[in-house]
């Protein structure tokens, strides 16, 4: 058993490290890395208030080990902070990004152990291994677990909190405070965890209620349930405060961007939050972002605003088919099997609430907003082996193997993964955009491809990302700034830009011939 666990996590680590080594900075990463460096050198809460500090403090561990040169004279905003650190301060962006990503990779592996332990407790060693295999081969978890971003840490902390709440039914004295620590870590990583906060408090009360003797008085059980929920809430709030104090013990708050005024119920909610002012201002910025008219792309359609069904459809495209089958079977099993029924609210209710909150969001940018599903539902899928059907282990094993093969086939390009029903990674760009397929990660691969196959040709580039093309040796011009007749040679366009192309760019693409693909995220055309 330990050997199999090590093998599964080792292959996952190899996939994530390889991906981290080969990918250039994605759109969000420079902001987090730059903010982490600012935490280390200035000890001030200035940048990126829309996300609490803990996830960036995790990234800061790698940044500290890389020991980059930080320019103290920089006075720009957070959108330029990371780019200045990576490309204009004398640092090696390849090395710095790898070190920044390694702590998130380590956390992702640790969360795999949580998934294994949770499923093993419910369904035995076989169920634990099945759940871990689904987690370890999940393209979404590998893709985002290998980046210096906040989505996987948030999801992992929430799963850890739920696991500890489940264990608190038998060991409340230790598990309830630890569940509060994990919940606080989630709240201190990303504000979207607030949607799960009341759900987990209710589960804490249920666990405390179930932890006592059956003969206890109802009033005593109610007091115990209220006390358990209160302990989890107080510890979680304390962890959020601790994350801000770790950055600046004096809690100096000097935002480098405009903080909007929020009125109505949202404004009241912000005022009632028992968190530092920086956290509440970050909530105000998040609410203002939700009010923007973001553009989305789904199955060839460009639209403004959000579609309530965007995330479910995107998950159908980007989740391995065997995993979808096991998720559905696992959800049915934990509800239908009597001895597993008590765990159903712990596994399904937080996931459902978080998914509903993500579906209500204004930004249809990717399945990373639902990366908690491969964690919660992997545990549920492991419970399939509890079913007393002789073919259950064989069918489950075959589906897990199908997932593994599908995941390995997309190596090392996990961000643009699509399952076989939708044409695999090569077809993702036709149906989805942004972090589902093209997040600026393949600028380095593009540079290598241009040197190998198209040396000396004129390059016209429309790149959607945070990297600096000239740093990687790409000498290119923007085709949208010159008359159409002057654009001759290679037209290189990020697939997210292709998806939403209009005006002059759309005309250029329509009158060009696609000749090459880079990492399933950048298309090269000949004009």
């Amino acid at each position: 058993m330990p050997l199999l666990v090590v093998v599964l996590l080792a292959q996952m680590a190899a996939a994530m490290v390889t991906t981290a080594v080969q990918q250039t900075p994605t759109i969000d990463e420079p902001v987090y890395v730059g903010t982490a460096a600012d935490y280390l050198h200035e000890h001030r809460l200035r940048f990126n208030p829309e996300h609490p500090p803990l996830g960036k403090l995790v990234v800061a561990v790698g940044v500290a080990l890389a020991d980059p040169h930080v320019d103290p004279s920089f006075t720009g905003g957070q959108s330029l902070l990371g780019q200045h650190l990576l490309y204009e301060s004398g640092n090696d962006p390849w090395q710095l990004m790898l070190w920044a990503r390694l702590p998130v990779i380590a956390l992702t592996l640790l969360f795999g152990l949580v998934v294994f332990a949770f499923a093993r407790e419910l369904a035995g060693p076989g169920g634990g291994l099945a759940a871990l295999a689904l987690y370890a081969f999940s393209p979404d978890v590998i893709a985002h677990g290998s980046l210096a971003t906040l989505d996987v840490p948030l999801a992992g902390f929430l799963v850890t909190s739920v696991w500890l709440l489940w264990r608190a039914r038998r060991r409340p004295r230790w598990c309830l405070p630890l569940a509060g620590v994990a919940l606080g870590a989630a709240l201190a990583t990303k504000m979207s965890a607030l949607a799960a906060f009341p759900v987990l408090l209710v589960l804490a009360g249920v666990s405390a209620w179930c932890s006592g003797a059956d003969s206890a008085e109802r009033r005593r059980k109610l007091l115990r349930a209220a006390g358990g929920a209160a302990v989890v809430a107080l510890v979680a709030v304390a962890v959020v405060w601790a994350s801000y104090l770790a950055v600046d013990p004096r809690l100096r708050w000097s935002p480098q961007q405009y903080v909007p005024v929020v009125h109505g119920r949202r404004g009241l909610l912000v005022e009632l939050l028992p968190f530092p002012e920086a956290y509440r201002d970050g909530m105000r910025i998040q609410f203002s972002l939700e009010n923007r008219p973001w553009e989305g792309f789904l199955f060839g359609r460009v639209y403004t605003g959000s579609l309530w069904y965007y995330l479910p459809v995107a998950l159908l495209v980007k989740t391995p088919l065997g995993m979808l089958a096991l998720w559905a079977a696992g959800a049915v099993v934990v509800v239908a099997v009597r001895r597993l029924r008590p765990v159903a609210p712990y596994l399904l209710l937080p996931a459902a609430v978080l998914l509903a909150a993500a579906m209500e969001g204004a930004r249809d940018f990717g399945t990373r907003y639902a990366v908690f599903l491969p964690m919660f539902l992997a545990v549920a899928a492991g419970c399939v082996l509890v079913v007393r059907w002789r073919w259950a282990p064989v069918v489950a094993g075959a589906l897990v193997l199908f997932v593994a093969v599908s995941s390995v086939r997309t190596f090392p390009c996990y961000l643009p993964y699509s399952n076989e029903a939708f044409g695999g990674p090569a077809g993702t760009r036709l149906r989805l955009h942004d972090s589902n397929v093209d997040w600026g990660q393949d600028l380095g691969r593009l540079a290598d491809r241009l040197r190998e196959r198209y040396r000396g040709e004129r390059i016209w580039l429309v790149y959607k990302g945070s990297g600096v093309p000239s740093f990687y040796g790409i000498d290119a011009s923007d085709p949208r700034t010159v008359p159409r007749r002057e654009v001759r040679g290679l037209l290189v366009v990020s697939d997210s830009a292709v998806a939403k192309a209009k005006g002059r760019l759309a005309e250029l693409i329509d009158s060009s011939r696609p000749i090459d693909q880079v990492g399933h995220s950048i298309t090269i055309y000949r004009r």
Side-chain angles (χ1 to χ4, degrees):
M1 180 66 65
L3 178 61
L4 291 173
V5 171
V6 168
V7 168
L8 285 172
L9 291 178
Q11 71 80 27
M12 187 184 196
M16 289 192 293
V17 171
T18 303
T19 302
V21 168
Q22 295 185 6
Q23 291 187 156
T24 42
T26 58
I27 289 175
D28 287 1
E29 285 182 292
V31 174
Y32 302 145
V33 174
T35 303
D38 191 65
Y39 286 170
L40 290 170
H41 288 265
E42 300 298 328
H43 305 287
R44 293 288 299 272
L45 296 162
R46 300 188 297 175
F47 298 106
N48 195 232
E50 59 266 37
H51 296 300
L54 185 60
K56 289 164 285 188
L57 288 172
V58 171
V59 172
V61 174
V63 175
L65 292 172
D67 192 22
H69 174 262
V70 176
D71 181 5
S73 64
F74 177 77
T75 57
Q78 68 177 35
S79 60
L80 299 176
L81 172 66
Q83 194 173 79
H84 183 77
L85 176 71
L86 289 168
Y87 298 107
E88 300 169 10
S89 301
N91 299 307
D92 180 353
W94 289 107
Q95 181 184 42
L96 179 53
M97 287 307 306
L98 175 61
W99 278 107
R101 290 164 173 168
L102 286 177
V104 180
I105 291 174
L107 259 186
T108 305
L109 296 173
L110 290 175
F111 294 143
L113 292 177
V114 171
V115 168
F116 168 75
F118 200 169
R120 183 182 184 183
E121 189 171 338
L122 298 174
L129 279 178
L132 178 59
L134 291 179
Y135 176 87
F137 286 108
S138 168
D140 266 354
V141 175
I142 293 173
H144 296 285
S146 60
L147 300 175
T149 54
L150 311 178
D151 301 292
V152 168
L154 162 73
F157 286 134
L158 286 174
V159 170
T160 303
S161 182
V162 170
W163 172 55
L164 290 166
L165 289 175
W166 171 252
R167 292 180 63 85
R169 294 166 69 97
R170 294 183 180 180
R171 301 176 182 85
R173 183 170 299 180
W174 289 102
C175 290
L176 283 175
L178 290 175
V181 171
L183 176 56
L187 293 169
T189 298
K190 222 176 169 189
M191 292 172 185
S192 54
L194 285 168
F197 186 62
V199 178
L200 267 61
L201 292 189
V202 171
L203 293 177
V206 171
S207 294
W209 173 284
C210 297
S211 64
D214 293 337
S215 60
E217 296 179 4
R218 184 179 182 86
R219 181 179 178 184
R220 187 176 299 176
K221 282 190 172 184
L222 284 172
L223 290 173
R224 190 166 56 236
V231 166
V232 171
L234 290 172
V235 173
V237 171
V239 170
V240 174
W241 278 89
S243 70
Y244 281 88
L245 291 169
V247 177
D248 182 2
R250 292 186 287 172
L251 287 179
R252 293 167 295 173
W253 170 226
S254 53
Q256 300 295 300
Q257 63 191 92
Y258 170 70
V259 178
V261 178
V262 179
H263 300 285
R265 287 178 295 179
R266 287 181 170 182
L268 179 61
L269 172 64
V270 171
E271 292 298 331
L272 291 176
L273 289 175
F275 299 135
E277 185 63 24
Y279 194 105
R280 296 200 297 271
D281 277 352
M283 280 292 296
R284 295 182 179 101
I285 294 172
Q286 286 286 3
F287 282 137
S288 72
L289 292 174
E290 288 295 301
N291 292 329
R292 290 186 183 178
W294 301 100
E295 273 195 338
F297 176 82
L298 183 65
F299 278 71
R301 174 191 171 192
V302 180
Y303 57 92
T304 300
S306 61
L307 303 174
W308 68 267
Y309 53 84
Y310 171 85
L311 263 181
V313 172
L315 286 165
L316 284 175
V317 174
K318 290 187 63 64
T319 304
L321 296 172
M323 192 176 292
L324 288 171
L326 285 169
W327 284 1
V332 171
V333 166
V334 296
V335 172
V337 176
R338 185 174 181 179
R339 78 174 183 85
L340 291 175
R341 210 167 288 158
V343 81
Y346 292 80
L347 288 177
L348 303 183
L349 190 57
V353 170
L354 287 166
L355 180 60
M359 289 167 62
E360 283 294 313
R363 286 162 280 184
D364 291 350
F365 289 164
T367 55
R368 63 190 179 94
Y369 293 112
V371 77
F372 49 84
L373 284 180
M375 303 185 189
F376 281 103
L377 295 184
V379 178
C383 296
V384 169
L385 296 180
V386 170
V387 177
R388 294 181 179 178
W389 178 47
R390 59 182 298 184
W391 293 104
V394 176
V395 173
L399 290 173
V400 169
L401 182 61
F402 185 22
V403 171
V405 171
S406 183
S407 176
V408 169
R409 287 178 62 191
T410 198
F411 174 87
C413 301
Y414 289 96
L415 271 175
Y417 173 85
S418 283
N419 61 45
E420 289 74 11
F422 294 95
T428 313
R429 62 189 178 87
L430 304 176
R431 300 171 180 88
L432 300 167
H433 81 310
D434 208 83
S435 61
N436 283 319
V437 56
D438 165 34
W439 218 14
Q441 73 272 14
D442 283 324
L443 193 59
R445 291 190 180 108
L446 172 63
D448 292 339
R449 183 69 55 83
L450 292 175
R451 280 193 295 269
E452 293 168 2
R453 300 184 184 178
Y454 309 104
R455 186 182 294 273
E457 296 204 39
R458 180 68 187 274
I459 310 297
W460 301 90
L461 176 65
V462 179
Y463 166 67
K464 182 180 183 294
S466 295
V468 176
S470 60
F471 176 86
Y472 301 95
I474 300 175
D475 182 13
S477 304
D478 189 338
R480 297 167 294 185
T481 61
V482 300
R484 175 179 166 182
R485 63 179 181 276
E486 294 184 17
V487 182
R488 293 288 184 271
L490 297 180
L491 176 64
V492 182
V493 189
S494 293
D495 284 335
S496 287
V498 174
K500 299 192 294 184
K502 53 189 175 182
R504 178 176 294 182
L505 180 58
E507 293 176 1
L508 289 170
I509 292 173
D510 290 341
S511 57
S512 303
R513 176 171 54 91
I515 60 171
D516 206 348
Q517 268 279 322
V518 178
H520 305 300
S521 75
I522 299 175
T523 302
I524 300 177
Y525 300 86
R526 172 77 68 187
R527 278 189 60 80

